[in-house]
C-alpha cells in the first residue's frame, strides 16, 4: 500500500502518483452534500494518502460548493505539505446564477475562478488548473491564451482539460504549439471497465499530443465494487447508486455479465473486485493516474492496494472481452480485423518494434 513510484504527467516534467486522491466528497455543501465529509472526517483520509506517498490531489471549485477547496487548503496548511503535493483544481461551473460571465470557460470567468480558488486553497499558485467541462461556445483560442497568461503570471504551473471532445483537445494543443503558448499536459475523463468510449479517440489523441489521461470514476460510480446486485425489483445494495442510478451509467445485461467476470477474476487473484477494477484502468495505455475517492481511511487503504499486484495477461484479456463495446460507424474501420484486410495476405505491419521506446525509471530495482 505504497505510492512511492511517480511518473511524468503527459509531456511534462511533473511527477505524479499513479493513484490520485479525489476530494469531491470533502465538505457537506452543494450538489455533493448527500455523501460529503466534514473536515474532521476528511483529515484521516488526507493524512493516510500522504503517509502512503501519494502526491496528486484533485478538487474543483464546484465540489461541495467550494468547501472541498477550503478543507483542502486547511489540511495542506496544517500538514505543511504545500510544496510536496501536486494540487489540481478545475473551473467552469457558475458561481453566481444571475451573472452570465460567472460561469463557462471565458477569460473573465477563468481569472475570477482562479483567484477564488487560490483564496480557498490558501496558496499563491495552483499546480494544475483545468477546464472542467466544455461549454460548447467559448473559443478554444481564448482558453489557451488565458492559460498562458495565468502561467506567466505565476498563478498556475500547468494547464489541463476535463470532459471535452477529442477534437477540442487536439485543437487546443495544436493551437498552443503553433503559437508558443503553454501546452495542455492533462486530460481528465471518465474511464472504467463499464465506460470505455474514450478509447475510440481520446486515448490515442492524448498519447500522440502529450496529454496524460487521469481517469475519474474508475469504479463506475461504485458499481464495480460488487456491492450492488441485480434483482427483480431493481438495483439492490447500499450506496449512492441505490436511489436510481447516476447519470452517465446504465446497468444493462452486458454490465451484469461484466460484473460476474470481474468477480471471477478477483477471486482467482485473491483481491477485491474494486482493486481489480482500479488496477485495470490505472495500467491502461495512455493513463497517467486513476482518481480515487474514499469515505474513510480504511477504504482508502483498500484502494491503495490496487497496485500491489500485477494483472496477468490472460485475466486482463477476460476483462477486456467482457467489457468490450463493438465499435460502430466509421470506428469499425479502425479495428485490427478491418485494418488487416487492407494489407496483402501474409504481410505483417506494425508501428514500432517491441523495445523501441523502453521505459525509463530512475529507481534502483
Amino acid at each position: 500500500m505504497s505510492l512511492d513510484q511517480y511518473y511524468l504527467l503527459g509531456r511534462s516534467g511533473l511527477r505524479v502518483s499513479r493513484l490520485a486522491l479525489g476530494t469531491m466528497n470533502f465538505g457537506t455543501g452543494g450538489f455533493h452534500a448527500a455523501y460529503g465529509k466534514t473536515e474532521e472526517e476528511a483529515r484521516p483520509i488526507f493524512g493516510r494518502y500522504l503517509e502512503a506517498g501519494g502526491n496528486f490531489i484533485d478538487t474543483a471549485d464546484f465540489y461541495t460548493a467550494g468547501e472541498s477547496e477550503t478543507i483542502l487548503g486547511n489540511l495542506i496548511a496544517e500538514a505543511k505539505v504545500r510544496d510536496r503535493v501536486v494540487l489540481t483544481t478545475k473551473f467552469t461551473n457558475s458561481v453566481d446564477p444571475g451573472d452570465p460571465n460567472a460561469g463557462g470557460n471565458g477569460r473573465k470567468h477563468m481569472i475570477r475562478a482562479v483567484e477564488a480558488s487560490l483564496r480557498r486553497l490558501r496558496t499563491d499558485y495552483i499546480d494544475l488548473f483545468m477546464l472542467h467541462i466544455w461549454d460548447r461556445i467559448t473559443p478554444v483560442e481564448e482558453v489557451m491564451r488565458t492559460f498562458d497568461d495565468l502561467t506567466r503570471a505565476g498563478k498556475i504551473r500547468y494547464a489541463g482539460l476535463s470532459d471535452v471532445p477529442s477534437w477540442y483537445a487536439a485543437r487546443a494543443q495544436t493551437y498552443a504549439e503553433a503559437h508558443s503558448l503553454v501546452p495542455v499536459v492533462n486530460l481528465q475523463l471518465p474511464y472504467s471497465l463499464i465506460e470505455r468510449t474514450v478509447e475510440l479517440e481520446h486515448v490515442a489523441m492524448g498519447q500522440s499530443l502529450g496529454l496524460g489521461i487521469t481517469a475519474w470514476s474508475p469504479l463506475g460510480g461504485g458499481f464495480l465494487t460488487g456491492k450492488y446486485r441485480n434483482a427483480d425489483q431493481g438495483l439492490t445494495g447500499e450506496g449512492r447508486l441505490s436511489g436510481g442510478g447516476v447519470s452517465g451509467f446504465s446497468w444493462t445485461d452486458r454490465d451484469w455479465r461484466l460484473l460476474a467476470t470481474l468477480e471471477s477474476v478477483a477471486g482467482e487473484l485473491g483481491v477485491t473486485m474494486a482493486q481489480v477494477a482500479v488496477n485495470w484502468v490505472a495500467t491502461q495505455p495512455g493513463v497517467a493516474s486513476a482518481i480515487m475517492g474514499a469515505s474513510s481511511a480504511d477504504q482508502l487503504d483498500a484502494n491503495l492496494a490496487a497496485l500491489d499486484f500485477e494483472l496477468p495477461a490472460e485475466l486482463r484479456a477476460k476483462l477486456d472481452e467482457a467489457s468490450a463495446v463493438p465499435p460502430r460507424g466509421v470506428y469499425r474501420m479502425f479495428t485490427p480485423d478491418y485494418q488487416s484486410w487492407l494489407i496483402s495476405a501474409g504481410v505483417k505491419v506494425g508501428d514500432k518494434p517491441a523495445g523501441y521506446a523502453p521505459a525509463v525509471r530512475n529507481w534502483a530495482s
Side-chain angles (χ1 to χ4, degrees):
M1 294 183 290
S2 177
L3 297 177
D4 60 354
Q5 297 177 1
Y6 308 90
Y7 291 87
L8 299 183
L9 181 61
R11 193 177 297 153
S12 79
L14 186 63
R15 285 83 159 167
V16 299
S17 305
R18 296 180 72 190
L19 297 180
L21 178 63
T23 62
M24 188 169 66
N25 65 335
F26 282 20
T28 58
F31 179 74
H32 309 96
Y35 52 90
K37 301 298 177 183
T38 66
E39 185 170 324
E40 290 302 310
E41 292 171 321
R43 181 175 287 106
I45 299 172
F46 177 79
R48 182 67 193 98
Y49 181 71
L50 294 181
E51 290 171 7
N55 77 334
F56 200 13
I57 300 174
D58 180 82
T59 187
D61 60 2
F62 175 60
Y63 294 164
T64 55
E67 284 187 34
S68 176
E69 287 186 330
T70 299
I71 289 174
L72 268 179
N74 293 340
L75 295 178
I76 290 170
E78 181 182 281
K80 297 180 174 59
V81 292
R82 178 62 194 94
D83 288 336
R84 172 185 165 185
V85 299
V86 175
L87 186 55
T88 300
T89 194
K90 303 181 284 291
F91 75 94
T92 294
N93 293 84
S94 176
V95 295
D96 181 359
D99 182 355
N101 286 305
N105 299 325
R107 180 183 182 88
K108 183 175 175 66
H109 179 58
M110 283 182 70
I111 295 174
R112 175 178 180 172
V114 77
E115 295 288 359
S117 289
L118 288 170
R119 288 193 296 271
R120 285 191 292 266
L121 290 164
R122 299 174 59 181
T123 184
D124 56 4
Y125 72 97
I126 293 166
D127 293 294
L128 176 60
F129 190 52
M130 302 186 69
L131 179 153
H132 202 160
I133 302 171
W134 180 47
D135 69 3
R136 303 193 303 164
I137 55 177
T138 303
V140 68
E141 297 85 354
E142 181 173 331
V143 173
M144 295 309 297
R145 288 202 173 275
T146 307
F147 273 143
D148 190 71
D149 289 343
L150 292 174
T151 305
R152 293 177 188 278
K155 296 182 185 296
I156 70 173
R157 297 293 189 259
Y158 295 91
L161 302 171
S162 169
D163 301 333
V164 299
S166 58
W167 67 262
Y168 183 92
R171 169 65 175 163
Q173 192 73 321
T174 53
Y175 181 82
E177 291 174 347
H179 294 84
S180 300
L181 305 178
V182 296
V184 177
V185 302
N186 183 219
L187 184 61
Q188 192 173 121
L189 298 165
Y191 194 14
S192 70
L193 280 165
I194 59 168
E195 180 49 72
R196 296 179 60 183
T197 55
V198 299
E199 293 176 3
L200 293 175
E201 291 192 6
H202 287 83
V203 171
M205 183 275 300
Q207 289 175 303
S208 178
L209 296 181
L211 285 73
I213 293 174
T214 48
W216 64 261
S217 200
L219 295 177
F223 180 77
L224 296 172
T225 64
K227 64 181 177 181
Y228 301 100
R229 296 295 168 171
N230 196 15
D232 293 339
Q233 67 271 27
L235 192 71
T236 63
E238 292 297 323
R240 59 193 176 99
L241 301 186
S242 299
V246 172
S247 176
F249 299 109
S250 58
W251 315 119
T252 64
D253 289 342
R254 169 255 184 191
D255 293 327
W256 294 113
R257 289 193 296 270
L258 164 60
L259 203 65
T261 302
L262 178 59
E263 185 172 26
S264 173
V265 169
E268 286 193 50
L269 294 174
V271 298
T272 69
M273 296 167 66
Q275 288 167 346
V276 172
V278 171
N279 183 296
W280 180 89
V281 75
T283 55
Q284 283 292 98
V287 173
S289 187
I291 302 173
M292 312 174 304
S295 60
S296 68
D298 288 342
Q299 187 182 73
L300 180 66
D301 276 337
N303 289 338
L304 293 178
L307 295 182
D308 285 352
F309 62 92
E310 184 174 344
L311 193 58
E314 65 275 13
L315 295 184
R316 180 181 288 275
K318 286 184 180 180
L319 293 169
D320 289 347
E321 182 179 2
S323 62
V325 178
R328 297 180 179 180
V330 67
Y331 296 102
R332 289 178 292 188
M333 301 182 191
F334 310 143
T335 60
D337 287 344
Y338 190 99
Q339 291 282 310
S340 66
W341 175 70
L342 302 178
I343 307 299
S344 300
V347 175
K348 298 180 180 179
V349 178
D351 179 25
K352 302 289 190 302
Y356 176 83
V360 177
R361 298 185 176 89
N362 290 333
W363 59 76
S365 63

